[in-house]
Amino acid sequence: MLSKSKTVGYFAGFALLFNQMTGPGVPFTATNFQTPGLLMTLLSYVIFCMVSGFSMLFLIQAMQAIPGNSQFQGHVEYSTLLNFYFGHSMHIFGQLVLYCALQSNAIQSLNLIAQSVDYLLVDSIGRSCGLTMGFKWMCVNVPSQEYASPFGDVYMLFTYGFLITLLIAIPFAFYDLDSSATITVISFGLTVIMGLQWISAAGLNGFEWDRVPVVQPVGPTYGQVMGTVMLNLACCTVIPSWINIKNKDVPAQDVIWTSIFMTSFYYICIGFFLAMGFDIDASGNVLNAILTQGVPALLCKITVGMFSIVMLLPGIPISFLVSRNNLVQNKITSPLIATLLAFVVPFFVCIPLQTGYNLIKFQTWTSLTVVSACNFVFPFLLYFKCRSFRKAFNRDRSNCTDSSVDKASAGSAV
């Protein structure tokens, strides 16, 4: 199927990739600078900045190596590459990993939005309520000092925040990447403004160097920082979809490196200054610290509320749509089943992750498994496979050309 619209320009493409990388990992970045410390966190960003950039370029090389798509004339999704280069079995396995990676990002965003809404309800109207897994109605009227959710570690079937998030997310099911350039650029601008406000709030609260040790003894937090950084810079899953809609005159390599470097710089600034300015609880979510410690309090509440809408919400339909498109284009499921898997199942997975420390554990493990595979393993495998395929393809084409020339010469001699 040929793409009918390739209109996304340079800045819109940069904003799209930047927004995709500044999502659910933002609230947990400052924690990395406090544990395991400055050195390990900076080193992780340097390493994965380069690895992520080359992974994206390798995917693009694999797309171009497909016959008839050297100028991105066709519509090639991520799972199409797996199917083309590795065959059916690897395609099924890769499709499962890709689905889990895309949905893990959406699930984390949904839960972070729900938690933020619950906190805003507690602060604005005095309480938020929900139904526990024991089918008991529960209301809270004070923020939790330990957990990312005001409901603490009580397992909830739903909260007011979760239901409101569901209602907000449903209209975004009709989100269209092709016509989202203006929204993407506005979201990028607001993201930068929010980051500056949070840094200012941290400074007004008081920077303390003791909060950011240079290095700490090796422990579980080293794995956590790797998972957070991989999640922050993971963008390969949407690269084929962006390539399918970008303007043909936009240099993909320039957009990728610019977005990677600017995103890394943003994360390092946010993480370092917020880590120096706030005491972060055991949940690892700095948003709670900004709400309870940030100065001026009203502005901090507004920007934390905006975080959910500006940084997280736009990325959810992208994950849903890319997931569905990959399932449908490669005929893994029917369109109806693909829609249910992409748009419905993630909300059920969200349920046990709404409270306690479950979300940060989910983030760490999905980042180290499915997210790392799709963004840092599969692209390298596809690149090496596409090189061997292209070499064989060019050799066969050359042999066919030589054979045709020989036949033509023999015909002329007769």
Side-chain angles (χ1 to χ4, degrees):
M1 165 181 149
L2 293 178
S3 179
K4 296 180 180 179
S5 179
K6 294 179 179 286
T7 58
V8 174
Y10 186 101
F11 190 74
F14 158 76
L16 173 66
L17 299 186
F18 182 93
N19 293 343
Q20 190 65 20
M21 287 185 280
T22 51
V26 171
F28 303 100
T29 302
T31 304
N32 299 148
F33 282 87
Q34 293 185 350
T35 55
L38 180 65
L39 182 62
M40 181 61 187
T41 304
L42 288 179
L43 184 62
S44 298
Y45 273 102
V46 171
I47 292 173
F48 283 102
C49 178
M50 302 305 296
V51 173
S52 182
F54 282 113
S55 296
M56 295 180 199
L57 294 179
F58 286 167
L59 268 185
I60 293 174
Q61 287 286 322
M63 292 177 70
Q64 287 184 298
I66 294 179
N69 198 50
S70 60
Q71 301 299 319
F72 308 116
Q73 304 96 310
H75 189 102
V76 178
E77 294 291 348
Y78 196 120
S79 59
T80 308
L81 297 172
L82 295 172
N83 191 26
F84 183 82
Y85 288 112
F86 290 106
H88 183 69
S89 297
M90 181 63 178
H91 174 221
I92 298 298
F93 172 74
Q95 182 72 69
L96 175 63
V97 175
L98 176 64
Y99 170 81
C100 291
L102 287 165
Q103 296 300 350
S104 69
N105 184 73
I107 289 165
Q108 292 171 62
S109 296
L110 287 167
N111 273 306
L112 287 170
I113 293 173
Q115 291 170 354
S116 296
V117 173
D118 280 324
Y119 267 112
L120 288 174
L121 289 174
V122 169
D123 185 71
S124 58
I125 65 174
R127 69 174 183 171
S128 181
C129 301
L131 185 66
T132 70
M133 285 194 177
F135 296 100
K136 294 181 179 179
W137 193 251
M138 177 181 177
C139 292
V140 293
N141 53 21
V142 292
S144 171
Q145 298 299 317
E146 182 179 357
Y147 299 99
S149 168
F151 292 89
D153 60 351
V154 179
Y155 281 93
M156 306 294 295
L157 282 175
F158 64 82
T159 67
Y160 283 167
F162 185 76
L163 293 179
I164 292 172
T165 301
L166 178 62
L167 293 175
I168 295 174
I170 287 174
F172 280 81
F174 305 99
Y175 189 85
D176 183 2
L177 279 178
D178 231 356
S179 58
S180 64
T182 302
I183 297 175
T184 299
V185 172
I186 292 174
S187 178
F188 165 74
L190 292 175
T191 297
V192 173
I193 292 172
M194 283 188 296
L196 293 174
Q197 194 279 317
W198 290 348
I199 292 173
S200 173
L204 291 173
N205 192 54
F207 290 137
E208 294 182 16
W209 283 99
D210 292 342
R211 291 191 177 114
V212 184
V214 175
V215 66
Q216 287 192 339
V218 176
T221 55
Y222 277 71
Q224 182 179 316
V225 70
M226 298 289 282
T228 303
V229 173
M230 279 194 288
L231 173 67
N232 288 350
L233 299 182
C235 196
C236 283
T237 51
V238 302
I239 288 297
S241 298
W242 165 60
I243 290 294
N244 290 330
I245 61 174
K246 81 171 186 69
N247 187 287
K248 62 182 179 64
D249 296 324
V250 173
Q253 183 171 329
D254 288 355
V255 174
I256 285 174
W257 286 119
T258 301
S259 62
I260 283 280
F261 289 143
M262 291 301 296
T263 303
S264 298
F265 178 75
Y266 182 85
Y267 271 120
I268 290 170
C269 290
I270 288 288
F272 177 69
F273 288 112
L274 267 59
M276 284 206 305
F278 295 115
D279 293 314
I280 304 171
D281 59 38
S283 71
N285 191 333
V286 76
L287 298 182
N288 190 22
I290 297 174
L291 283 172
T292 57
Q293 304 168 39
V295 180
L298 178 60
L299 190 56
C300 288
K301 291 173 183 177
I302 292 173
T303 53
V304 168
M306 287 175 58
F307 165 79
S308 302
I309 305 300
V310 173
M311 284 193 188
L312 299 181
L313 192 59
I316 294 171
I318 293 177
S319 295
F320 286 171
L321 287 169
V322 173
S323 179
R324 183 187 182 280
N325 289 346
N326 276 275
L327 290 169
V328 171
Q329 188 185 61
N330 294 276
K331 300 180 180 179
I332 298 296
T333 67
S334 66
L336 176 60
I337 297 299
T339 300
L340 291 175
L341 288 173
F343 290 91
V344 178
V345 170
F347 288 96
F348 287 96
V349 180
C350 283
I351 291 174
L353 305 176
Q354 296 178 79
T355 56
Y357 301 138
N358 298 323
L359 185 60
I360 192 169
K361 294 176 182 177
F362 177 82
Q363 181 212 74
T364 299
W365 284 106
T366 55
S367 298
L368 292 173
T369 54
V370 292
V371 173
S372 62
C374 281
N375 289 276
F376 305 111
V377 177
F378 289 171
F380 284 84
L381 296 177
L382 286 167
Y383 175 71
F384 291 122
K385 193 71 175 179
C386 85
R387 282 180 61 87
S388 61
F389 164 79
R390 200 68 200 183
K391 186 181 296 183
F393 178 81
N394 291 335
R395 183 177 62 248
D396 293 342
R397 186 170 62 177
S398 177
N399 291 339
C400 289
T401 302
D402 292 341
S403 176
S404 299
V405 171
D406 292 341
K407 288 181 181 179
S409 299
S412 298
V414 172

